[in-house]
Amino acid sequence: MTHPILITGGTGFIGSHTVVALAEAGQPVVILDNLCNSSAKVLDRLARLNASPIEFVQADIRDSAALDTLFARYQFAGVIHFAGLKAVGESVAQPLRYLENNVSGTLNLLQAMDRANVRRIVFSSSATVYGDPVSVPIPETAALTATNPYGRTKLMCEDALRELHAADPRWRIAILRYFNPVGAHESGLLGEAPNGIPNNLMPYITQVALGQRAHLQIFGNDYDTPDGTGVRDYLHVSDLAAGHLAALRALNEPKLLTVNLGTGRGVSVQDMVDTFARVNGVPIPHQVVPRRPGDVAQCLADPRQAKALLNWETLLDLDRMCADAWRWQSMNPQGFDTPL
Ligand code: NAD
Ligand code: WQD
């Protein structure tokens, strides 16, 4: 593929790591992002990693005119579509904003792609579409449901992509259901920089390690899991990034792929705290508090389809996820505002 790939949401956490993975594979990219949840300073970090995009466009996926201009300027080989809002709690408070941004935005992007005859897309879905799974590990054929407006937007976008493929089989579509991406680029130059109080476990732990927060609250130790704390399938963001390159390559002909991206291995909150402390030599003060509403006991991928269809599997272990997350946080106490 010598034509560029458009990466929406490319200055975000997963998008920026994917830009690096594509650059390393010699694949040119253009980034489109409205910077509502990321910093333009990511671009300086990408430059340091020799992964500068051909172009960075600050625009919104809901802006049809901006998309048409971009699709006229470049003949894209395809689109990796990360752009979206992702905070579950916020989506409960602001469902219309989430539906508008994530669903209308995605439909708008698909229409612009169709007009420009670019019919190859890799879409960021989430394990959240499995709701509270009946059993783990979860195969792609498991029942789908939404337990919050954010999850609903992912399900609605997946449905739109399935309808689109049924109506026009020229489309090449990969729906990637991520489990829990954590870690950071091994250089310490890229990582996750949430605004305000982190919702997710790993960024909370790294802020506690840094002393920015006093202690971690473990949300429940009375789950039906080996140590009572919640079990998840954490994968390194660089492995996840590589999964996008694998998906692009697998879309070498019209098809619709739906694939879990995870390790298949369960890690409890307590395991994560203990591993982080051991690997990095930094204690993580913590206390157990009641369960967080909406949380499930366990969520684990059956990763076999990814191996079979994409020839992709994770390579980096939990120790590496903890080491890289801490390198990123300790090198960048102010996130991307930390001077280079
Ligand atoms: P992120 O917030 O770091 O990146 C998303 C990017 O999209 C941001 O840079 C943001 O500015 C941009 N964006 C949002 N709305 C936009 C719009 N209307 N127009 C243009 N740009 C817009 O999030 P992330 O963790 O990198 O997640 C990327 C994608 O993967 C999202 O779609 C998310 O829902 C999905 N996902 C994330 C996780 C996770 O745990 N991080 C898990 C499963 C799925
Ligand atoms: C992991 C575990 C918590 C914070 C969320 C979204 C999901 C997906 C990934 C986008 C759970 C526990 C957490 C804390 C804790 N995102 N925890 N104390 O809930 O699996 O998934 O992010 O698609 O849609 O729901 O991830 O990192 O929030 O939590 O004890 O301060 O850590 O209870 O067991 P989750 P998480």
Side-chain angles (χ1 to χ4, degrees), residues 9 11-15 32-38 59-62 81-86 101 124-126 150 154 178-179 181 192:
T11 45
F13 173 47
I14 306 169
L32 179 142
D33 200 300
N34 68 358
L35 301 180
C36 71
N37 197 40
S38 56
D60 198 295
I61 51 168
R62 293 165 293 176
H81 176 34
F82 294 105
L85 301 173
K86 63 167 182 177
N101 194 81
S124 299
S125 189
S126 165
Y150 165 72
K154 290 296 173 192
Y178 316 153
F179 280 66
E192 191 169 10

PDB file of all heavy atoms in Angstrom, residues 9 11-15 32-38 59-62 81-86 101 124-126 150 154 178-179 181 192, ligand 1:
ATOM      1  N   GLY A   9      -8.631  10.228  14.759  1.00  0.00           N
ATOM      2  CA  GLY A   9      -8.275  10.027  16.167  1.00  0.00           C
ATOM      3  C   GLY A   9      -6.806   9.658  16.323  1.00  0.00           C
ATOM      4  O   GLY A   9      -6.404   9.056  17.322  1.00  0.00           O
ATOM      5  N   THR A  11      -4.134  11.332  17.016  1.00  0.00           N
ATOM      6  CA  THR A  11      -3.292  11.890  18.081  1.00  0.00           C
ATOM      7  C   THR A  11      -3.686  11.317  19.455  1.00  0.00           C
ATOM      8  O   THR A  11      -3.098  11.676  20.464  1.00  0.00           O
ATOM      9  CB  THR A  11      -3.365  13.442  18.120  1.00  0.00           C
ATOM     10  OG1 THR A  11      -4.724  13.842  18.012  1.00  0.00           O
ATOM     11  CG2 THR A  11      -2.583  14.046  16.975  1.00  0.00           C
ATOM     12  N   GLY A  12      -4.683  10.438  19.473  1.00  0.00           N
ATOM     13  CA  GLY A  12      -5.114   9.825  20.726  1.00  0.00           C
ATOM     14  C   GLY A  12      -4.178   8.700  21.169  1.00  0.00           C
ATOM     15  O   GLY A  12      -3.149   8.434  20.536  1.00  0.00           O
ATOM     16  N   PHE A  13      -4.560   8.062  22.261  1.00  0.00           N
ATOM     17  CA  PHE A  13      -3.713   7.022  22.887  1.00  0.00           C
ATOM     18  C   PHE A  13      -3.416   5.875  21.907  1.00  0.00           C
ATOM     19  O   PHE A  13      -2.259   5.611  21.568  1.00  0.00           O
ATOM     20  CB  PHE A  13      -4.445   6.518  24.147  1.00  0.00           C
ATOM     21  CG  PHE A  13      -3.822   5.338  24.829  1.00  0.00           C
ATOM     22  CD1 PHE A  13      -2.459   5.281  25.088  1.00  0.00           C
ATOM     23  CD2 PHE A  13      -4.620   4.270  25.249  1.00  0.00           C
ATOM     24  CE1 PHE A  13      -1.889   4.182  25.742  1.00  0.00           C
ATOM     25  CE2 PHE A  13      -4.070   3.175  25.909  1.00  0.00           C
ATOM     26  CZ  PHE A  13      -2.698   3.123  26.148  1.00  0.00           C
ATOM     27  N   ILE A  14      -4.434   5.212  21.428  1.00  0.00           N
ATOM     28  CA  ILE A  14      -4.189   4.042  20.562  1.00  0.00           C
ATOM     29  C   ILE A  14      -3.781   4.507  19.167  1.00  0.00           C
ATOM     30  O   ILE A  14      -2.899   3.921  18.527  1.00  0.00           O
ATOM     31  CB  ILE A  14      -5.440   3.139  20.510  1.00  0.00           C
ATOM     32  CG1 ILE A  14      -5.888   2.756  21.933  1.00  0.00           C
ATOM     33  CG2 ILE A  14      -5.146   1.879  19.701  1.00  0.00           C
ATOM     34  CD1 ILE A  14      -7.260   2.078  21.997  1.00  0.00           C
ATOM     35  N   GLY A  15      -4.397   5.596  18.695  1.00  0.00           N
ATOM     36  CA  GLY A  15      -4.092   6.105  17.358  1.00  0.00           C
ATOM     37  C   GLY A  15      -2.620   6.463  17.206  1.00  0.00           C
ATOM     38  O   GLY A  15      -1.985   6.119  16.204  1.00  0.00           O
ATOM     39  N   LEU A  32      -6.284  12.784  11.070  1.00  0.00           N
ATOM     40  CA  LEU A  32      -7.373  13.750  11.288  1.00  0.00           C
ATOM     41  C   LEU A  32      -7.838  13.607  12.732  1.00  0.00           C
ATOM     42  O   LEU A  32      -8.140  12.496  13.181  1.00  0.00           O
ATOM     43  CB  LEU A  32      -8.533  13.476  10.324  1.00  0.00           C
ATOM     44  CG  LEU A  32      -9.744  14.421  10.468  1.00  0.00           C
ATOM     45  CD1 LEU A  32     -10.330  14.742   9.097  1.00  0.00           C
ATOM     46  CD2 LEU A  32     -10.830  13.807  11.347  1.00  0.00           C
ATOM     47  N   ASP A  33      -7.863  14.723  13.455  1.00  0.00           N
ATOM     48  CA  ASP A  33      -8.312  14.680  14.851  1.00  0.00           C
ATOM     49  C   ASP A  33      -8.796  16.085  15.202  1.00  0.00           C
ATOM     50  O   ASP A  33      -8.221  17.080  14.760  1.00  0.00           O
ATOM     51  CB  ASP A  33      -7.142  14.280  15.763  1.00  0.00           C
ATOM     52  CG  ASP A  33      -7.601  13.753  17.118  1.00  0.00           C
ATOM     53  OD1 ASP A  33      -8.283  14.510  17.857  1.00  0.00           O
ATOM     54  OD2 ASP A  33      -7.282  12.601  17.450  1.00  0.00           O
ATOM     55  N   ASN A  34      -9.840  16.170  16.010  1.00  0.00           N
ATOM     56  CA  ASN A  34     -10.308  17.501  16.423  1.00  0.00           C
ATOM     57  C   ASN A  34      -9.680  17.938  17.751  1.00  0.00           C
ATOM     58  O   ASN A  34     -10.020  18.997  18.269  1.00  0.00           O
ATOM     59  CB  ASN A  34     -11.841  17.564  16.498  1.00  0.00           C
ATOM     60  CG  ASN A  34     -12.416  16.712  17.615  1.00  0.00           C
ATOM     61  OD1 ASN A  34     -11.682  16.036  18.331  1.00  0.00           O
ATOM     62  ND2 ASN A  34     -13.732  16.735  17.768  1.00  0.00           N
ATOM     63  N   LEU A  35      -8.800  17.091  18.298  1.00  0.00           N
ATOM     64  CA  LEU A  35      -8.055  17.391  19.536  1.00  0.00           C
ATOM     65  C   LEU A  35      -8.959  17.568  20.754  1.00  0.00           C
ATOM     66  O   LEU A  35      -8.556  18.180  21.739  1.00  0.00           O
ATOM     67  CB  LEU A  35      -7.145  18.627  19.353  1.00  0.00           C
ATOM     68  CG  LEU A  35      -6.092  18.521  18.248  1.00  0.00           C
ATOM     69  CD1 LEU A  35      -5.263  19.821  18.172  1.00  0.00           C
ATOM     70  CD2 LEU A  35      -5.152  17.341  18.488  1.00  0.00           C
ATOM     71  N   CYS A  36     -10.184  17.015  20.706  1.00  0.00           N
ATOM     72  CA  CYS A  36     -11.068  17.174  21.873  1.00  0.00           C
ATOM     73  C   CYS A  36     -10.567  16.347  23.051  1.00  0.00           C
ATOM     74  O   CYS A  36     -10.900  16.636  24.191  1.00  0.00           O
ATOM     75  CB  CYS A  36     -12.520  16.818  21.528  1.00  0.00           C
ATOM     76  SG  CYS A  36     -12.810  15.063  21.268  1.00  0.00           S
ATOM     77  N   ASN A  37      -9.766  15.324  22.790  1.00  0.00           N
ATOM     78  CA  ASN A  37      -9.226  14.525  23.907  1.00  0.00           C
ATOM     79  C   ASN A  37      -7.757  14.157  23.678  1.00  0.00           C
ATOM     80  O   ASN A  37      -7.313  13.083  24.086  1.00  0.00           O
ATOM     81  CB  ASN A  37     -10.071  13.263  24.102  1.00  0.00           C
ATOM     82  CG  ASN A  37      -9.832  12.626  25.461  1.00  0.00           C
ATOM     83  OD1 ASN A  37      -9.705  13.319  26.468  1.00  0.00           O
ATOM     84  ND2 ASN A  37      -9.740  11.301  25.497  1.00  0.00           N
ATOM     85  N   SER A  38      -7.047  15.018  22.974  1.00  0.00           N
ATOM     86  CA  SER A  38      -5.618  14.758  22.758  1.00  0.00           C
ATOM     87  C   SER A  38      -4.925  16.087  22.507  1.00  0.00           C
ATOM     88  O   SER A  38      -5.572  17.118  22.366  1.00  0.00           O
ATOM     89  CB  SER A  38      -5.400  13.797  21.588  1.00  0.00           C
ATOM     90  OG  SER A  38      -6.002  14.297  20.416  1.00  0.00           O
ATOM     91  N   ALA A  59      -9.656  18.599  12.394  1.00  0.00           N
ATOM     92  CA  ALA A  59     -11.033  18.662  11.887  1.00  0.00           C
ATOM     93  C   ALA A  59     -11.850  17.608  12.598  1.00  0.00           C
ATOM     94  O   ALA A  59     -11.322  16.709  13.261  1.00  0.00           O
ATOM     95  CB  ALA A  59     -11.049  18.410  10.378  1.00  0.00           C
ATOM     96  N   ASP A  60     -13.157  17.737  12.432  1.00  0.00           N
ATOM     97  CA  ASP A  60     -14.107  16.862  13.104  1.00  0.00           C
ATOM     98  C   ASP A  60     -14.661  15.855  12.089  1.00  0.00           C
ATOM     99  O   ASP A  60     -14.963  16.235  10.954  1.00  0.00           O
ATOM    100  CB  ASP A  60     -15.242  17.740  13.671  1.00  0.00           C
ATOM    101  CG  ASP A  60     -16.039  17.023  14.731  1.00  0.00           C
ATOM    102  OD1 ASP A  60     -16.709  16.021  14.390  1.00  0.00           O
ATOM    103  OD2 ASP A  60     -15.978  17.444  15.892  1.00  0.00           O
ATOM    104  N   ILE A  61     -14.821  14.621  12.524  1.00  0.00           N
ATOM    105  CA  ILE A  61     -15.376  13.614  11.596  1.00  0.00           C
ATOM    106  C   ILE A  61     -16.825  13.931  11.215  1.00  0.00           C
ATOM    107  O   ILE A  61     -17.353  13.361  10.272  1.00  0.00           O
ATOM    108  CB  ILE A  61     -15.289  12.171  12.162  1.00  0.00           C
ATOM    109  CG1 ILE A  61     -15.879  12.088  13.577  1.00  0.00           C
ATOM    110  CG2 ILE A  61     -13.863  11.655  12.123  1.00  0.00           C
ATOM    111  CD1 ILE A  61     -16.100  10.671  14.073  1.00  0.00           C
ATOM    112  N   ARG A  62     -17.463  14.848  11.947  1.00  0.00           N
ATOM    113  CA  ARG A  62     -18.836  15.223  11.580  1.00  0.00           C
ATOM    114  C   ARG A  62     -18.866  16.327  10.535  1.00  0.00           C
ATOM    115  O   ARG A  62     -19.946  16.716  10.094  1.00  0.00           O
ATOM    116  CB  ARG A  62     -19.598  15.671  12.844  1.00  0.00           C
ATOM    117  CG  ARG A  62     -19.825  14.530  13.821  1.00  0.00           C
ATOM    118  CD  ARG A  62     -20.221  15.046  15.180  1.00  0.00           C
ATOM    119  NE  ARG A  62     -19.120  15.775  15.808  1.00  0.00           N
ATOM    120  CZ  ARG A  62     -19.196  16.408  16.973  1.00  0.00           C
ATOM    121  NH1 ARG A  62     -20.330  16.400  17.644  1.00  0.00           N
ATOM    122  NH2 ARG A  62     -18.155  17.042  17.464  1.00  0.00           N
ATOM    123  N   HIS A  81     -10.265   4.046  11.862  1.00  0.00           N
ATOM    124  CA  HIS A  81     -11.184   5.004  12.489  1.00  0.00           C
ATOM    125  C   HIS A  81     -11.211   4.845  14.009  1.00  0.00           C
ATOM    126  O   HIS A  81     -11.963   4.041  14.558  1.00  0.00           O
ATOM    127  CB  HIS A  81     -12.582   4.797  11.894  1.00  0.00           C
ATOM    128  CG  HIS A  81     -13.646   5.637  12.512  1.00  0.00           C
ATOM    129  ND1 HIS A  81     -13.422   6.904  12.987  1.00  0.00           N
ATOM    130  CD2 HIS A  81     -14.972   5.384  12.723  1.00  0.00           C
ATOM    131  CE1 HIS A  81     -14.550   7.387  13.479  1.00  0.00           C
ATOM    132  NE2 HIS A  81     -15.498   6.485  13.347  1.00  0.00           N
ATOM    133  N   PHE A  82     -10.347   5.656  14.675  1.00  0.00           N
ATOM    134  CA  PHE A  82     -10.293   5.664  16.135  1.00  0.00           C
ATOM    135  C   PHE A  82     -11.144   6.770  16.740  1.00  0.00           C
ATOM    136  O   PHE A  82     -11.459   6.706  17.933  1.00  0.00           O
ATOM    137  CB  PHE A  82      -8.856   5.935  16.615  1.00  0.00           C
ATOM    138  CG  PHE A  82      -7.852   4.871  16.303  1.00  0.00           C
ATOM    139  CD1 PHE A  82      -6.918   5.042  15.287  1.00  0.00           C
ATOM    140  CD2 PHE A  82      -7.816   3.700  17.039  1.00  0.00           C
ATOM    141  CE1 PHE A  82      -5.968   4.070  15.017  1.00  0.00           C
ATOM    142  CE2 PHE A  82      -6.877   2.715  16.780  1.00  0.00           C
ATOM    143  CZ  PHE A  82      -5.947   2.906  15.761  1.00  0.00           C
ATOM    144  N   ALA A  83     -11.429   7.823  15.965  1.00  0.00           N
ATOM    145  CA  ALA A  83     -12.029   9.025  16.566  1.00  0.00           C
ATOM    146  C   ALA A  83     -13.335   8.691  17.260  1.00  0.00           C
ATOM    147  O   ALA A  83     -14.235   8.086  16.672  1.00  0.00           O
ATOM    148  CB  ALA A  83     -12.253  10.091  15.497  1.00  0.00           C
ATOM    149  N   GLY A  84     -13.427   9.104  18.522  1.00  0.00           N
ATOM    150  CA  GLY A  84     -14.653   8.858  19.271  1.00  0.00           C
ATOM    151  C   GLY A  84     -14.447   9.260  20.717  1.00  0.00           C
ATOM    152  O   GLY A  84     -13.307   9.425  21.170  1.00  0.00           O
ATOM    153  N   LEU A  85     -15.560   9.411  21.414  1.00  0.00           N
ATOM    154  CA  LEU A  85     -15.517   9.677  22.857  1.00  0.00           C
ATOM    155  C   LEU A  85     -15.621   8.338  23.569  1.00  0.00           C
ATOM    156  O   LEU A  85     -16.349   7.444  23.116  1.00  0.00           O
ATOM    157  CB  LEU A  85     -16.683  10.587  23.252  1.00  0.00           C
ATOM    158  CG  LEU A  85     -16.731  11.952  22.544  1.00  0.00           C
ATOM    159  CD1 LEU A  85     -18.022  12.692  22.894  1.00  0.00           C
ATOM    160  CD2 LEU A  85     -15.515  12.792  22.910  1.00  0.00           C
ATOM    161  N   LYS A  86     -14.935   8.189  24.716  1.00  0.00           N
ATOM    162  CA  LYS A  86     -14.817   6.839  25.283  1.00  0.00           C
ATOM    163  C   LYS A  86     -15.069   6.720  26.776  1.00  0.00           C
ATOM    164  O   LYS A  86     -14.834   5.663  27.356  1.00  0.00           O
ATOM    165  CB  LYS A  86     -13.428   6.274  24.971  1.00  0.00           C
ATOM    166  CG  LYS A  86     -12.308   7.074  25.616  1.00  0.00           C
ATOM    167  CD  LYS A  86     -10.973   6.352  25.562  1.00  0.00           C
ATOM    168  CE  LYS A  86      -9.898   7.155  26.250  1.00  0.00           C
ATOM    169  NZ  LYS A  86      -8.605   6.511  26.309  1.00  0.00           N
ATOM    170  N   ASN A 101     -21.546  12.300  18.482  1.00  0.00           N
ATOM    171  CA  ASN A 101     -20.126  12.258  18.119  1.00  0.00           C
ATOM    172  C   ASN A 101     -19.753  10.897  17.512  1.00  0.00           C
ATOM    173  O   ASN A 101     -19.166  10.834  16.428  1.00  0.00           O
ATOM    174  CB  ASN A 101     -19.271  12.521  19.359  1.00  0.00           C
ATOM    175  CG  ASN A 101     -17.824  12.823  19.000  1.00  0.00           C
ATOM    176  OD1 ASN A 101     -17.481  13.938  18.635  1.00  0.00           O
ATOM    177  ND2 ASN A 101     -16.981  11.811  19.049  1.00  0.00           N
ATOM    178  N   SER A 124     -12.604   0.820  15.436  1.00  0.00           N
ATOM    179  CA  SER A 124     -12.333   0.581  16.856  1.00  0.00           C
ATOM    180  C   SER A 124     -13.614   0.231  17.585  1.00  0.00           C
ATOM    181  O   SER A 124     -14.360   1.118  17.993  1.00  0.00           O
ATOM    182  CB  SER A 124     -11.814   1.856  17.528  1.00  0.00           C
ATOM    183  OG  SER A 124     -10.632   2.310  16.968  1.00  0.00           O
ATOM    184  N   SER A 125     -13.858  -1.060  17.780  1.00  0.00           N
ATOM    185  CA  SER A 125     -14.955  -1.438  18.659  1.00  0.00           C
ATOM    186  C   SER A 125     -14.359  -1.849  19.999  1.00  0.00           C
ATOM    187  O   SER A 125     -13.174  -1.597  20.271  1.00  0.00           O
ATOM    188  CB  SER A 125     -15.823  -2.532  18.037  1.00  0.00           C
ATOM    189  OG  SER A 125     -16.987  -2.699  18.833  1.00  0.00           O
ATOM    190  N   SER A 126     -15.162  -2.469  20.830  1.00  0.00           N
ATOM    191  CA  SER A 126     -14.736  -2.673  22.215  1.00  0.00           C
ATOM    192  C   SER A 126     -15.389  -3.931  22.776  1.00  0.00           C
ATOM    193  O   SER A 126     -16.510  -4.291  22.391  1.00  0.00           O
ATOM    194  CB  SER A 126     -15.203  -1.457  23.017  1.00  0.00           C
ATOM    195  OG  SER A 126     -15.149  -1.718  24.395  1.00  0.00           O
ATOM    196  N   TYR A 150     -22.192   4.671  25.898  1.00  0.00           N
ATOM    197  CA  TYR A 150     -20.941   4.494  25.144  1.00  0.00           C
ATOM    198  C   TYR A 150     -20.971   3.148  24.407  1.00  0.00           C
ATOM    199  O   TYR A 150     -20.698   3.079  23.206  1.00  0.00           O
ATOM    200  CB  TYR A 150     -19.730   4.554  26.088  1.00  0.00           C
ATOM    201  CG  TYR A 150     -18.473   4.035  25.447  1.00  0.00           C
ATOM    202  CD1 TYR A 150     -17.826   4.773  24.461  1.00  0.00           C
ATOM    203  CD2 TYR A 150     -17.943   2.783  25.785  1.00  0.00           C
ATOM    204  CE1 TYR A 150     -16.685   4.278  23.837  1.00  0.00           C
ATOM    205  CE2 TYR A 150     -16.812   2.296  25.176  1.00  0.00           C
ATOM    206  CZ  TYR A 150     -16.180   3.046  24.195  1.00  0.00           C
ATOM    207  OH  TYR A 150     -15.054   2.547  23.571  1.00  0.00           O
ATOM    208  N   LYS A 154     -20.982   1.938  20.195  1.00  0.00           N
ATOM    209  CA  LYS A 154     -20.126   0.958  19.518  1.00  0.00           C
ATOM    210  C   LYS A 154     -20.990  -0.088  18.808  1.00  0.00           C
ATOM    211  O   LYS A 154     -20.720  -0.473  17.672  1.00  0.00           O
ATOM    212  CB  LYS A 154     -19.180   0.284  20.521  1.00  0.00           C
ATOM    213  CG  LYS A 154     -18.099   1.196  21.058  1.00  0.00           C
ATOM    214  CD  LYS A 154     -17.154   1.669  19.952  1.00  0.00           C
ATOM    215  CE  LYS A 154     -16.168   2.703  20.432  1.00  0.00           C
ATOM    216  NZ  LYS A 154     -15.446   3.382  19.340  1.00  0.00           N
ATOM    217  N   TYR A 178     -11.473  -4.336  21.022  1.00  0.00           N
ATOM    218  CA  TYR A 178     -10.334  -4.283  21.940  1.00  0.00           C
ATOM    219  C   TYR A 178     -10.798  -4.682  23.329  1.00  0.00           C
ATOM    220  O   TYR A 178     -11.857  -4.260  23.784  1.00  0.00           O
ATOM    221  CB  TYR A 178      -9.756  -2.880  22.084  1.00  0.00           C
ATOM    222  CG  TYR A 178      -9.565  -2.068  20.832  1.00  0.00           C
ATOM    223  CD1 TYR A 178      -9.599  -0.674  20.905  1.00  0.00           C
ATOM    224  CD2 TYR A 178      -9.312  -2.651  19.593  1.00  0.00           C
ATOM    225  CE1 TYR A 178      -9.395   0.112  19.791  1.00  0.00           C
ATOM    226  CE2 TYR A 178      -9.118  -1.871  18.468  1.00  0.00           C
ATOM    227  CZ  TYR A 178      -9.168  -0.490  18.573  1.00  0.00           C
ATOM    228  OH  TYR A 178      -8.971   0.293  17.474  1.00  0.00           O
ATOM    229  N   PHE A 179      -9.905  -5.369  24.044  1.00  0.00           N
ATOM    230  CA  PHE A 179     -10.156  -5.630  25.456  1.00  0.00           C
ATOM    231  C   PHE A 179      -9.544  -4.448  26.245  1.00  0.00           C
ATOM    232  O   PHE A 179      -9.968  -3.331  26.007  1.00  0.00           O
ATOM    233  CB  PHE A 179      -9.727  -7.058  25.821  1.00  0.00           C
ATOM    234  CG  PHE A 179     -10.837  -8.020  25.380  1.00  0.00           C
ATOM    235  CD1 PHE A 179     -11.123  -8.200  24.022  1.00  0.00           C
ATOM    236  CD2 PHE A 179     -11.675  -8.628  26.297  1.00  0.00           C
ATOM    237  CE1 PHE A 179     -12.209  -8.977  23.604  1.00  0.00           C
ATOM    238  CE2 PHE A 179     -12.747  -9.421  25.895  1.00  0.00           C
ATOM    239  CZ  PHE A 179     -13.012  -9.588  24.544  1.00  0.00           C
ATOM    240  N   PRO A 181      -6.619  -2.062  26.650  1.00  0.00           N
ATOM    241  CA  PRO A 181      -5.281  -1.614  26.255  1.00  0.00           C
ATOM    242  C   PRO A 181      -4.605  -0.793  27.352  1.00  0.00           C
ATOM    243  O   PRO A 181      -5.220   0.109  27.922  1.00  0.00           O
ATOM    244  CB  PRO A 181      -5.540  -0.740  25.017  1.00  0.00           C
ATOM    245  CG  PRO A 181      -6.995  -0.471  24.969  1.00  0.00           C
ATOM    246  CD  PRO A 181      -7.692  -1.381  25.916  1.00  0.00           C
ATOM    247  N   GLU A 192      -0.683   7.232  27.602  1.00  0.00           N
ATOM    248  CA  GLU A 192      -2.064   7.638  27.857  1.00  0.00           C
ATOM    249  C   GLU A 192      -2.043   8.854  28.783  1.00  0.00           C
ATOM    250  O   GLU A 192      -1.424   8.811  29.843  1.00  0.00           O
ATOM    251  CB  GLU A 192      -2.784   6.461  28.533  1.00  0.00           C
ATOM    252  CG  GLU A 192      -4.266   6.617  28.620  1.00  0.00           C
ATOM    253  CD  GLU A 192      -4.959   5.327  29.052  1.00  0.00           C
ATOM    254  OE1 GLU A 192      -4.267   4.369  29.468  1.00  0.00           O
ATOM    255  OE2 GLU A 192      -6.198   5.291  28.963  1.00  0.00           O
TER     256      GLU A 192
HETATM  257  P1  NAD B   1      -8.464   8.731  22.832  1.00  0.00           P
HETATM  258  O1  NAD B   1      -9.505   9.611  23.423  1.00  0.00           O
HETATM  259  O2  NAD B   1      -7.082   8.838  23.339  1.00  0.00           O
HETATM  260  O3  NAD B   1      -8.425   8.944  21.239  1.00  0.00           O
HETATM  261  C1  NAD B   1      -9.562   9.270  20.492  1.00  0.00           C
HETATM  262  C2  NAD B   1      -9.227  10.482  19.624  1.00  0.00           C
HETATM  263  O4  NAD B   1     -10.375  10.831  18.852  1.00  0.00           O
HETATM  264  C3  NAD B   1      -8.835  11.711  20.442  1.00  0.00           C
HETATM  265  O5  NAD B   1      -7.578  12.179  19.997  1.00  0.00           O
HETATM  266  C4  NAD B   1      -9.951  12.705  20.176  1.00  0.00           C
HETATM  267  O6  NAD B   1      -9.474  14.040  20.174  1.00  0.00           O
HETATM  268  C5  NAD B   1     -10.457  12.253  18.819  1.00  0.00           C
HETATM  269  N1  NAD B   1     -11.861  12.569  18.526  1.00  0.00           N
HETATM  270  C6  NAD B   1     -12.952  12.314  19.289  1.00  0.00           C
HETATM  271  N2  NAD B   1     -14.058  12.733  18.673  1.00  0.00           N
HETATM  272  C7  NAD B   1     -13.671  13.254  17.473  1.00  0.00           C
HETATM  273  C8  NAD B   1     -14.356  13.845  16.392  1.00  0.00           C
HETATM  274  N3  NAD B   1     -15.684  14.030  16.425  1.00  0.00           N
HETATM  275  N4  NAD B   1     -13.651  14.251  15.310  1.00  0.00           N
HETATM  276  C9  NAD B   1     -12.306  14.109  15.281  1.00  0.00           C
HETATM  277  N5  NAD B   1     -11.602  13.558  16.281  1.00  0.00           N
HETATM  278  C10 NAD B   1     -12.275  13.146  17.374  1.00  0.00           C
HETATM  279  O7  NAD B   1      -8.998   7.236  22.944  1.00  0.00           O
HETATM  280  P2  NAD B   1      -8.264   5.861  22.651  1.00  0.00           P
HETATM  281  O8  NAD B   1      -8.109   5.157  23.935  1.00  0.00           O
HETATM  282  O9  NAD B   1      -7.088   6.068  21.786  1.00  0.00           O
HETATM  283  O10 NAD B   1      -9.415   5.112  21.857  1.00  0.00           O
HETATM  284  C11 NAD B   1      -9.472   5.091  20.439  1.00  0.00           C
HETATM  285  C12 NAD B   1     -10.725   4.354  20.011  1.00  0.00           C
HETATM  286  O11 NAD B   1     -10.708   3.036  20.548  1.00  0.00           O
HETATM  287  C13 NAD B   1     -12.018   4.997  20.489  1.00  0.00           C
HETATM  288  O12 NAD B   1     -12.979   4.864  19.464  1.00  0.00           O
HETATM  289  C14 NAD B   1     -12.401   4.160  21.690  1.00  0.00           C
HETATM  290  O13 NAD B   1     -13.782   4.161  21.911  1.00  0.00           O
HETATM  291  C15 NAD B   1     -11.899   2.797  21.271  1.00  0.00           C
HETATM  292  N6  NAD B   1     -11.618   1.901  22.397  1.00  0.00           N
HETATM  293  C16 NAD B   1     -10.759   2.319  23.386  1.00  0.00           C
HETATM  294  C17 NAD B   1     -10.495   1.479  24.459  1.00  0.00           C
HETATM  295  C18 NAD B   1      -9.605   1.918  25.585  1.00  0.00           C
HETATM  296  O14 NAD B   1      -9.668   1.300  26.668  1.00  0.00           O
HETATM  297  N7  NAD B   1      -8.750   2.915  25.416  1.00  0.00           N
HETATM  298  C19 NAD B   1     -11.086   0.210  24.505  1.00  0.00           C
HETATM  299  C20 NAD B   1     -11.932  -0.181  23.483  1.00  0.00           C
HETATM  300  C21 NAD B   1     -12.191   0.674  22.427  1.00  0.00           C
END
